[in-house]
Amino acid sequence: MKLSDVVSSMHLPVYAEVPLLLFMGVFIGVVLHLAGRRDELTAMAALPLRDDARRPEHRP
Amino acid sequence: MSTEVEKFNYDDAVVRKFAFATALWGVIATLVGLWLALMLVMPSLSFGLPQLTFGRLRPLHTNAAIFAFAGNAIFAAIYYSSQRLLKARMFSDKLSNVHFWGWQAIIVAAALTLPFGITQSKEYAELEWPIDIAIAVVWIAFAVNFFGTIARRRERHIYVAIWFYMATIITVAILHIVNNLALPVSATKSYSLYAGVQDAFIQWWYGHNAVAFFLTTPFLGLMYYFLPKAANRPVFSYRLSILHFWSLVFIYIWAGPHHLHYTALPEWASTLGMLFSVMLWMPSWGGMINGLLTLRGAWNRVAEDPVLKFFVVGVTFYGMATFEGPLLSIKSVNALSHYTDWTIAHVHSGALGWNGFMTFGMLYWLAPRIFQTKLWSKKLAELHFWFGTFGILLYIVAIYAAGVTQGLMWRAFDATGRLAYPDFVETVVRIVPMYWVRVLGGSLFVTGMVMGLINIVMTWRTRPRRYADVSDEAPPLGAYAGVTPRLEVPRYSQMTASGHAFVYFVKAQWHRVWERSPLKFALWATAAVVVASAFEMVPTFLIRSNVPTIASVKPYTPLELVGRDIYVAEGCYNCHSQMIRPIRAETERYGEYSKPGEFIYDRPFQWGSRRIGPDLQRVGGKYPDLWHVRHMEDPRSTTPQSIMPSYAWLEKTDLDFGSVQQRVDAMAMLGVPYGDAVLHGERMARAQSQEIAARIAGQGGPKHLETKQIVALVAYLQRLGTDIKHQGSGS
């Protein structure tokens, strides 16, 4: 039996549903991950501005 | 914890180079685009030269806009922001230079090959195999330099912009390698490893994700760094930016098949592409809102700061383009829009509005910093903004109108149930005024680009005699060792061990570890891309019922194969599709709809993505051989209102019979059942060319064409779509 025989006999519509569930799982995971990290996230958001605060670059 | 602080400086020289290259290639890319727009209303502008035809120059325009203009822009952004976000100089100055000069050499190689018909004919992946290898090598040098810098960083946390850059580097490498797998025939010619439906699927998996991971994710990284810098405010919601990142990485890669609705692609794949495209609305608009709200409290500065003006309009265009993209992926909308100029308007609102404006916002912000002087002219930057804005608006409104007009005219029926506009050229003539407005809009945009280039060059000219070192200081990464706060999850007496483990998982300490471990992070981002791709590719390749074979479909004869290669080299796919959708308006106009089994010997596929001219899938046998000769010689002699350029040189240029056998052998190696042709390819080609040349002469046409390219092209065109007419039984 070839690999193509196995795949050919699979139920195709599942291919449209499994990825949706996969994505939903990841999405929920990321949302939960982001919950309750207020202070940490505020510090991370400020990263691009840190060098300006410490060492002002040439301004036009 | 060690309190030792390390001093280091940044390499801004490479940023200056990429910034210059961006401004220069931007002008060239848009100038070529303007020339092409003019050609649509004045086809004689090709001056009868093969190198100047629309079919050969359009890939040069798209490649220059994407890889030269936008490419250099994202590299400037990455080299500037990564060093500062990671608190480290780039890993290797040599690799930075290899990247810069290698990339420019690739762009020059593209400019020297595409106008000469050296092309794979896959949209945005036209470059032939030696250049593809060079791209892979330069990209690897870039990746080593980038990840090496991450490894040497002094900042523990990896800011979200760097995540977007990582996803770009990894995914573009995968897309480029998989889509460009080909068997070389010579130094300038190759055949795709994939054929027909599979080739189309892989190409648009690449094509769509090139937009996603070359024109979207790196520009989002740019937005998340440069917009807060310009506004001098942190990003509105860092939470939303993380959600934006993971949602894009997980969704984008699935959406490619929406480029192939109603084609011979299996319907399940097409539906999957549509669903995921619609889901893209959510993260894209989240990102746009996050960008615009970063300006909260700074809106008063937008009126006086050209940098913020460019960013505001750029992010707004991101929102518009990412609203329109999913809209166009909905099958019923796509049935109207596909193959029309609507897609062209959509692409330009993204490329000029989102990529272009974000790029110039960044360049105007960068120029005083990297050249260590004042911007030469703020007024000129303001003028550039207004020229660009009005230019885009004129351009896209005209092309939207042209696209919708085309779509409606193609599908219109009269009261008797016949096509209202049966002659395709009627639909061309109707939109010519809109093409003129497009030329006007394009001219304004190009003028703005020239102003940008002048401003950058003049700013550079007022630079100090010697650039000061841009230095910084930070404790080494090791100084943080052991101080990363552990996640504390309280263990209550009623809590089971598995309950405690669940809470620990949900609190996602694992993700905090990834965020600081670039290797793990990169591996998971790669896994997201590979899994999504495999879900679509494996069934497309392995399920036999997806591409039912048709007994009457046979390989192209050696002469037809050479003719097909001429069709590919001339870039005919840029104006003509070879895909009749199962829609009544199309079957009435062009004939029987296209079947997947008809394309099994097509390497590369030639379905095309737009119809400036009519579909050619069933053109075989529709006209006498002489009609094709006259039409190629002077299209207006057969269709007076045609906007197709002349291809008169095909009657004068000798056919390369010496390469026929190589081409046949390469196809045979790829599994095409060529039989006797493997031994007698050239002889068979010469015999067929004699027959066709005799027929042309017999119909009153020019004599002695048997050694000319036109004969091979006629052989191919007359074969197109005819196999299915001989179908007695299909299996």
Side-chain angles (χ1 to χ4, degrees):
Chain A
M1 182 181 273
K2 291 179 182 172
L3 183 58
S4 58
D5 296 325
V6 176
V7 179
S8 297
S9 61
M10 289 167 77
H11 189 50
L12 262 183
V14 169
Y15 272 87
E17 290 155 17
V18 171
L20 286 172
L21 291 175
L22 264 177
F23 171 74
M24 194 55 73
V26 170
F27 183 79
I28 292 168
V30 175
V31 169
L32 289 172
H33 157 63
L34 293 172
R37 296 179 59 188
R38 196 178 185 88
D39 294 342
E40 197 180 346
L41 293 173
T42 305
M44 291 173 193
L47 273 177
L49 304 176
R50 268 196 213 161
D51 52 351
D52 283 350
R54 190 176 54 254
R55 182 185 45 76
E57 291 174 335
H58 182 91
R59 292 233 169 235
Chain B
M1 175 182 170
S2 163
T3 54
E4 178 197 356
V5 170
E6 290 179 347
K7 290 198 172 178
F8 54 94
N9 53 29
Y10 297 123
D11 176 17
D12 280 351
V14 69
V15 184
R16 284 189 282 273
K17 287 179 198 157
F18 276 119
F20 261 127
T22 303
L24 179 65
W25 288 121
V27 170
I28 294 170
T30 47
L31 266 176
V32 177
L34 182 59
W35 187 256
L36 289 168
L38 269 169
M39 274 183 171
L40 288 177
V41 284
M42 300 167 73
S44 59
L45 282 180
S46 67
F47 303 115
L49 294 172
Q51 294 82 5
L52 289 185
T53 54
F54 186 92
R56 291 199 192 184
L57 282 188
R58 186 199 175 224
L60 186 66
H61 164 60
T62 53
N63 278 271
I66 297 171
F67 300 109
F69 172 57
N72 279 301
I74 62 177
F75 298 140
I78 290 172
Y79 278 96
Y80 185 88
S81 61
S82 300
Q83 295 185 80
R84 283 153 177 87
L85 287 169
L86 299 168
K87 293 279 171 283
R89 189 182 174 89
M90 289 310 295
F91 174 69
S92 161
D93 288 2
K94 274 188 187 158
L95 284 178
S96 298
N97 278 315
V98 166
H99 181 195
F100 176 77
W101 290 111
W103 197 256
Q104 309 318 310
I106 286 162
I107 295 166
V108 172
L112 293 176
T113 53
L114 293 172
F116 290 89
I118 298 168
T119 173
Q120 296 189 119
S121 84
K122 292 183 165 193
E123 286 185 64
Y124 327 128
E126 283 93 347
L127 303 178
E128 265 296 354
W129 66 273
I131 308 176
D132 286 338
I133 292 173
I135 293 172
V137 170
V138 171
W139 199 261
I140 288 167
F142 171 42
V144 170
N145 204 11
F146 180 80
F147 285 102
T149 311
I150 292 180
R152 288 189 176 181
R153 74 193 190 278
R154 295 180 180 83
E155 173 62 53
R156 167 69 74 185
H157 182 75
I158 297 177
Y159 184 66
V160 71
I162 304 284
W163 303 8
F164 279 106
Y165 300 154
M166 280 200 276
T168 299
I169 293 171
I170 293 165
T171 313
V172 168
I174 296 171
L175 295 170
H176 174 73
I177 291 168
V178 174
N179 189 45
N180 286 298
L181 290 176
L183 180 69
V185 180
S186 68
T188 55
K189 177 69 191 166
S190 63
Y191 290 126
S192 172
L193 286 197
Y194 320 105
V197 173
Q198 277 106 357
D199 195 35
F201 175 82
I202 293 288
Q203 158 57 23
W204 284 111
W205 166 80
Y206 164 88
H208 178 76
N209 288 304
V211 173
F213 288 91
F214 204 89
L215 297 177
T216 305
T217 52
F219 279 91
L220 289 170
L222 184 161
M223 177 185 88
Y224 279 119
Y225 179 80
F226 288 96
L227 188 54
K229 295 287 276 186
N232 199 27
R233 276 168 175 63
V235 63
F236 169 69
S237 167
Y238 197 74
R239 268 198 188 94
L240 194 53
S241 71
I242 296 175
L243 201 58
H244 188 192
F245 173 80
W246 280 114
S247 302
L248 279 191
V249 166
F250 269 84
I251 298 177
Y252 239 130
I253 204 85
W254 299 87
H258 72 216
H259 288 260
L260 299 167
H261 284 331
Y262 298 114
T263 65
L265 191 76
E267 197 190 356
W268 64 266
S270 170
T271 303
L272 195 63
M274 178 181 79
L275 283 175
F276 273 82
S277 305
V278 172
M279 283 161 67
L280 273 171
W281 258 324
M282 180 176 55
S284 302
W285 272 56
M288 176 197 66
I289 291 165
N290 210 4
L292 290 178
L293 288 182
T294 298
L295 289 163
R296 70 204 180 286
W299 281 99
N300 56 318
R301 286 174 43 213
V302 174
E304 62 193 38
D305 185 352
V307 171
L308 289 179
K309 274 197 185 80
F310 274 106
F311 281 154
V312 167
V313 174
V315 175
T316 307
F317 266 103
Y318 174 63
M320 283 169 54
T322 56
F323 175 80
E324 193 188 13
L327 179 76
L328 291 173
S329 78
I330 296 170
K331 288 185 181 181
S332 50
V333 180
N334 195 272
L336 173 70
S337 72
H338 198 47
Y339 299 121
T340 73
D341 279 348
W342 189 344
T343 311
I344 311 305
H346 168 61
V347 167
H348 282 80
S349 84
L352 301 180
W354 159 235
N355 302 130
F357 271 43
M358 292 306 287
T359 294
F360 273 97
M362 176 193 74
L363 286 181
Y364 286 126
W365 186 87
L366 273 179
R369 289 162 176 85
I370 56 178
F371 298 126
Q372 300 179 1
T373 182
K374 279 187 175 178
L375 183 66
W376 183 65
S377 171
K378 190 177 160 188
K379 274 189 184 162
L380 194 62
E382 290 273 356
L383 207 57
H384 175 184
F385 171 80
W386 289 112
F387 267 76
T389 303
F390 282 115
I392 298 179
L393 290 177
L394 270 180
Y395 183 106
I396 61 172
V397 169
I399 298 304
Y400 279 128
V404 174
T405 304
Q406 277 177 319
L408 292 175
M409 288 178 83
W410 291 347
R411 58 160 59 182
F413 288 96
D414 64 17
T416 64
R418 297 189 184 91
L419 285 171
Y421 307 98
D423 193 352
F424 188 89
V425 81
E426 288 178 88
T427 69
V428 177
V429 171
R430 186 68 66 88
I431 60 175
V432 165
M434 300 159 206
Y435 281 162
W436 276 112
V437 180
R438 167 199 211 162
V439 169
L440 178 63
S443 307
L444 290 177
F445 195 86
V446 174
T447 308
M449 297 287 276
V450 173
M451 290 174 184
L453 177 63
I454 291 170
N455 219 347
I456 296 294
V457 171
M458 295 307 288
T459 305
W460 169 75
R461 288 189 65 176
T462 59
R463 70 194 181 285
R465 185 178 293 273
R466 193 172 180 281
Y467 289 117
D469 273 349
V470 182
S471 58
D472 204 345
E473 56 184 40
L477 198 57
Y480 296 107
V483 297
T484 307
R486 290 280 308 161
L487 179 71
E488 295 298 332
V489 177
R491 179 97 185 244
Y492 302 108
S493 54
Q494 305 94 321
M495 219 176 195
T496 61
S498 54
H500 182 262
F502 177 73
V503 173
Y504 190 87
F505 176 80
V506 164
K507 291 281 184 185
Q509 176 73 2
W510 44 275
H511 195 280
R512 293 172 202 215
V513 174
W514 290 359
E515 286 169 18
R516 295 171 184 132
S517 171
L519 183 63
K520 284 182 189 168
F521 190 88
L523 283 176
W524 281 104
T526 310
V529 170
V530 170
V531 167
S533 304
F535 255 94
E536 290 182 336
M537 281 182 197
V538 170
T540 306
F541 278 79
L542 291 181
I543 298 176
R544 286 187 297 273
S545 61
N546 282 345
V547 188
T549 53
I550 300 170
S552 58
V553 173
K554 305 289 181 203
Y556 295 106
T557 66
L559 186 69
E560 288 161 1
L561 180 63
V562 178
R564 189 172 200 277
D565 289 345
I566 293 170
Y567 183 99
V568 166
E570 295 303 339
C572 304
Y573 69 92
N574 286 294
C575 296
H576 298 280
S577 57
Q578 286 187 23
M579 172 51 59
I580 303 166
R581 296 177 291 177
I583 296 171
R584 188 178 157 232
E586 300 219 348
T587 54
E588 289 284 317
R589 186 181 297 279
Y590 302 118
E592 179 70 8
Y593 70 88
S594 304
K595 317 285 190 297
E598 291 186 82
F599 304 101
I600 56 172
Y601 301 120
D602 283 14
R603 297 171 193 266
F605 78 109
Q606 292 291 292
W607 294 1
S609 63
R610 64 191 298 202
R611 289 177 183 152
I612 297 175
D615 187 278
L616 299 179
Q617 166 71 6
R618 305 265 175 244
V619 79
K622 191 173 176 183
Y623 305 103
D625 295 345
L626 181 59
W627 185 93
H628 287 291
V629 175
R630 297 290 185 225
H631 182 237
M632 301 306 290
E633 193 177 84
D634 176 13
R636 276 153 294 285
S637 69
T638 53
T639 312
Q641 291 161 311
S642 170
I643 58 170
M644 181 169 143
S646 159
Y647 286 82
W649 66 86
L650 293 173
E651 282 179 55
K652 296 170 190 147
T653 313
D654 284 334
L655 196 56
D656 180 13
F657 281 105
S659 71
V660 172
Q661 196 61 57
Q662 273 176 297
R663 292 167 198 261
V664 170
D665 291 349
M667 280 294 193
M669 277 181 74
L670 290 167
V672 177
Y674 256 119
D676 283 351
V678 174
L679 299 172
H680 312 295
E682 185 176 341
R683 201 179 72 198
M684 290 166 73
R686 285 187 185 277
Q688 193 182 3
S689 70
Q690 296 277 359
E691 275 174 39
I692 295 172
R695 270 206 308 268
I696 292 168
Q699 289 163 3
K703 294 182 172 55
H704 309 302
L705 289 180
E706 58 276 8
T707 57
K708 305 300 175 192
Q709 287 190 342
I710 187 73
V711 177
L713 187 62
V714 169
Y716 172 63
L717 292 172
Q718 293 291 38
R719 172 72 184 276
L720 272 179
T722 55
D723 281 4
I724 205 162
K725 292 176 187 167
H726 313 304
Q727 187 182 6
S729 60
S731 62

